[in-house]
């Protein structure tokens, strides 16, 4: 315990020089944890929103279905296999039939995707129960706030929808907007209208058919009896979001590196200056029985303790700051929908234990390495030269 106590005494004795290094290093602590928490919160919020509103526990795609290829949609439908019908009857799956269509709001032409879904489903979180209408004259439809804004629609409006059925014949029907839903998942809102599954199957001449089937959360996917249907797990469906967050995280690492370099440069210079100015002290210690290894350990520990003190200082002002941020969140701008991210009005950061511990370990390891590098010269130091104030 002699070396740690001596190292701490020397470090605190350096005064303002030590605390300047500690404050700069503490900024790196708070910045890394704060920004990583934002990206973790962004990823968690987007994943939860998409999982609840669209992906569930995964999706079965009809073999011709490709959401990134609109030309494939006319052929992307098929009767449900018996196995998926069984899951649907148990409330563990929700078939969705997608038909390309056109609406005419205020005399304008606007392409849409007509999505049929069972009004009684509970697999995804969109309020499909509003589609449970007894009216036969008009087709009940559910739209999102983005769709309503772009098309100038509101609850109770009636518009004409046109589509092409399975036989290639164009048909049209008046649609009544029974509800405008608010959702953070843009992918179930923009350019889409939701209608009862059985009615669109009948109108499009696609009885008992679907384009995809959403599996309920925590439901094991079937492995047999699904010819022509491909299962897409959450890893595949959320790949774009995951890669986007990873790219943002890598980009923010540039700032982390700059902050750490500034702090490490200050510590490195402090160590070099300390070794140069304390030559006689090193000679005295070695004359008193300290080996070169212990002297190196002492000076390395002094530099590494900058990281420990920085962690304590960062905890003093960073903890309440990050807690307030985590509770109040970060208000998102109105045009956040254009980013393609499923985010709400607020972004709530997440500061996990792994993130905090990982940041502390990273900074301490880097600080220790930087503190050790200047001390290598001590290995060749002779006690007699040190006592004379010389570095051989």
């Amino acid at each position: 315990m002699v070396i740690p106590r001596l190292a701490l005494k020397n470090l605190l004795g350096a005064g303002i020089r030590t605390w300047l290094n500690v404050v700069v290093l503490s900024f790196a602590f708070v910045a890394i944890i704060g920004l990583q928490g934002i990206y973790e919160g962004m990823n968690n919020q987007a994943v939860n929103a998409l999982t609840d509103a669209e992906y569930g526990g995964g999706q079965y795609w009809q073999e011709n279905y490709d959401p990134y290829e609109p030309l494939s949609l006319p052929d992307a439908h098929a009767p449900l296999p018996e196995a998926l019908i069984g899951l649907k009857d148990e409330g563990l799956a929700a078939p969705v039939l997608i038909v390309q269509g056109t609406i005419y709001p205020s005399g304008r032409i606007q392409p849409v995707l007509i999505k049929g879904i069972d009004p009684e489903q509970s697999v995804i979180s969109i309020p499909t129960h509003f589609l449970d209408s007894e009216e036969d004259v008009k087709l009940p439809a559910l739209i999102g706030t983005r769709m309503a804004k772009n098309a100038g629609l509101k609850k109770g409006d009636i518009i004409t929808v046109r589509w092409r059925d399975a036989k290639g014949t164009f048909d049209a029907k008046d649609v009544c907007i029974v509800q405008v839903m608010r959702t953070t998942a843009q992918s179930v809102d923009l350019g889409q209208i939701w209608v009862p599954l059985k009615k669109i199957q009948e109108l499009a001449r696609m009885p008992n058919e679907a384009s995809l089937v959403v599996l309920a959360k925590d439901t094991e996917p079937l492995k047999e009896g699904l010819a022509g249907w491909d299962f897409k797990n959450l890893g595949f469906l959320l790949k774009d979001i995951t890669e986007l967050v990873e790219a943002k995280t890598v980009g923010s690492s540039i700032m982390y590196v700059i902050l750490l370099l500034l702090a490490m440069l200050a510590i490195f210079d402090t160590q070099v200056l300390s070794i140069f100015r304390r030559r006689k002290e090193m000679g005295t210690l070695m004359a008193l029985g300290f080996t070169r290894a212990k002297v190196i350990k002492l000076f390395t520990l002094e530099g590494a303790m900058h990281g420990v003190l920085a962690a304590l200082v960062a905890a003093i002002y960073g903890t309440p700051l990050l807690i307030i941020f985590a509770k109040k969140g970060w208000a998102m701008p109105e045009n956040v929908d254009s980013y393609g991210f499923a985010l709400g009005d607020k972004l709530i950061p997440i500061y996990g234990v792994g993130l905090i511990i990982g940041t502390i370990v990273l900074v301490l390891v880097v600080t220790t390495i930087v503190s050790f590098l200047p001390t290598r010269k001590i290995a060749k130091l002779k006690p007699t030269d040190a006592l004379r104030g010389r570095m051989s």
Side-chain angles (χ1 to χ4, degrees):
M1 293 295 294
V2 175
I3 292 179
R5 286 201 302 268
L6 185 58
L8 181 59
K9 180 180 178 181
N10 293 337
L11 189 64
L12 296 178
I16 189 66
R17 186 170 67 249
T18 294
W19 293 111
L20 285 175
N21 291 335
V22 167
V23 170
V24 173
L25 193 54
S26 71
F27 288 157
F29 266 112
V30 176
I32 293 174
I33 295 174
L35 286 178
Q36 285 298 111
I38 289 176
Y39 289 124
E40 185 64 28
M42 183 185 298
N43 181 67
N44 183 74
Q45 193 167 331
V47 167
N48 287 340
L50 290 172
T51 301
D52 292 341
E54 184 176 15
Y55 297 146
Q59 293 181 343
Y60 286 96
W61 289 4
Q62 200 274 338
E63 58 184 354
N64 295 322
Y65 176 69
D66 184 351
Y68 300 107
E69 179 50 69
L71 296 179
S72 69
L73 284 178
D75 300 319
H77 56 86
L80 290 175
E82 290 296 329
L84 291 180
I85 293 177
L87 288 178
K88 173 183 175 296
D89 293 339
E90 295 176 17
L92 299 177
V96 177
L97 177 63
I98 304 176
V99 178
Q100 290 175 310
T102 306
I103 61 175
Y104 302 88
S106 303
R108 295 177 289 112
I109 300 176
Q110 183 173 338
V112 296
L113 292 179
I114 307 170
K115 291 189 173 182
I117 191 169
D118 186 355
E120 298 179 357
Q121 66 82 31
S122 59
V123 174
I124 55 179
S125 62
I126 62 176
T128 55
H129 60 276
F130 288 105
L131 298 176
D132 192 7
S133 173
E134 300 296 333
E135 186 177 0
D136 294 327
V137 178
K138 299 179 180 64
L139 186 66
L142 173 70
I143 63 174
T145 53
R146 302 171 185 85
M147 177 66 184
K149 181 179 180 180
N150 287 351
L153 299 173
K154 62 183 182 298
K155 180 179 178 180
D157 284 352
I158 297 175
I159 56 172
T160 300
V161 178
R162 189 186 70 162
W163 65 88
R164 177 180 288 181
D165 63 25
K167 306 298 182 181
T169 303
F170 283 101
D171 199 355
K173 192 174 181 67
D174 286 339
V175 167
C176 178
I177 307 300
V178 295
Q179 185 65 29
V180 177
M181 64 177 175
R182 184 175 182 82
T183 174
T184 58
Q186 184 180 169
S187 53
V188 297
D189 181 345
L190 199 58
Q192 302 172 36
I193 61 174
W194 295 82
V195 298
L197 177 62
K198 289 185 178 180
K199 290 190 176 182
I200 191 61
Q201 286 175 336
E202 178 184 351
L203 294 171
R205 298 186 185 183
M206 302 175 187
N208 301 318
E209 294 189 6
S211 302
L212 60 91
V213 178
V214 184
L215 200 63
K217 290 182 179 179
D218 303 320
T219 302
E220 287 293 326
L222 302 174
K223 298 181 180 179
E224 298 180 355
L226 298 171
W229 293 82
D230 302 321
F231 180 70
K232 307 297 182 181
N233 60 26
L234 292 179
F236 175 85
L237 296 172
L238 296 169
K239 185 178 179 181
D240 291 344
I241 295 295
T242 303
E243 290 181 348
L244 180 58
V245 171
E246 289 177 352
K248 294 290 185 182
T249 302
V250 172
S252 65
S253 298
I254 297 175
M255 191 179 76
Y256 307 157
V257 172
I258 293 174
L259 287 173
L260 284 176
L261 283 177
L262 290 173
M264 294 306 112
L265 180 61
I267 293 173
F268 183 85
D269 288 344
T270 299
Q271 287 292 88
V272 172
L273 180 61
S274 180
I275 291 172
F276 178 78
R277 296 181 60 181
R278 295 164 60 188
R279 290 165 292 179
K280 291 185 178 182
E281 178 186 338
M282 288 186 286
T284 302
L285 291 172
M286 295 172 73
L288 291 174
F290 269 59
T291 63
R292 290 182 178 85
K294 288 185 177 180
V295 176
I296 292 174
K297 183 179 179 181
L298 173 64
F299 279 80
T300 301
L301 191 57
E302 285 183 22
M305 281 185 173
H306 283 92
V308 177
L309 291 177
L312 295 176
V313 171
I316 292 173
Y317 72 86
T319 300
L321 181 66
L322 295 179
I323 289 176
I324 293 173
F325 192 22
K327 288 183 177 180
K328 293 188 175 181
W330 182 13
M332 293 286 97
E334 294 183 0
N335 61 345
V336 70
D337 285 340
S338 62
Y339 301 160
F341 242 92
L343 299 176
D345 296 332
K346 288 184 178 180
L347 174 60
I348 306 298
I350 297 177
Y351 309 111
V353 176
L355 170 61
I356 296 173
I357 294 177
T359 302
I360 293 174
V361 171
L362 170 65
V363 175
L364 289 180
V365 169
V366 174
T367 304
T368 303
I369 294 174
V370 172
S371 301
F372 169 74
L373 293 177
T375 65
R376 292 177 298 173
K377 200 167 186 179
I378 299 176
K380 300 179 181 179
L381 181 64
K382 295 179 181 180
T384 53
D385 291 335
L387 287 171
R388 296 190 188 102
R390 296 170 54 188
M391 296 289 288
S392 57

